[in-house]
Amino acid sequence: MELDEQLKLAHLLLEERVCRVCGEQKNLLNGYYRTRKNMNLLSSYSYECKECTIQRIKTTRKSDTGYWTYPDW
């Protein structure tokens, strides 16, 4: 790993971002999911924190008692 890559990675570790949903400022590596494989870019992390993402998935997930049934062919 070259010195330039190490500096970019160190800068990334200290980066914080404000969540788009709750408005709290959180650490980029611990508080956000990675959406792309390139870890050196700040844009490879989502703008919605992990807690808000989990809440969104819980509320929008279909319930087991939904109206959808497997088609009987």
Side-chain angles (χ1 to χ4, degrees), residues 2-42:
E2 295 180 8
L3 183 61
D4 292 337
E5 292 177 13
Q6 289 178 356
L7 289 175
K8 289 179 183 178
L9 185 60
H11 179 69
L12 180 65
L13 295 175
L14 300 174
E15 191 71 30
E16 291 189 350
R17 179 176 283 172
V18 177
C19 177
R20 200 182 273 184
V21 178
C22 65
E24 293 181 23
Q25 187 173 4
K26 298 180 182 177
N27 186 353
L28 193 60
L29 295 179
N30 296 332
Y32 295 91
Y33 288 115
R34 237 175 53 189
T35 57
R36 295 186 188 93
K37 291 181 182 179
N38 191 354
M39 193 171 145
N40 293 332
L41 296 176
L42 294 176

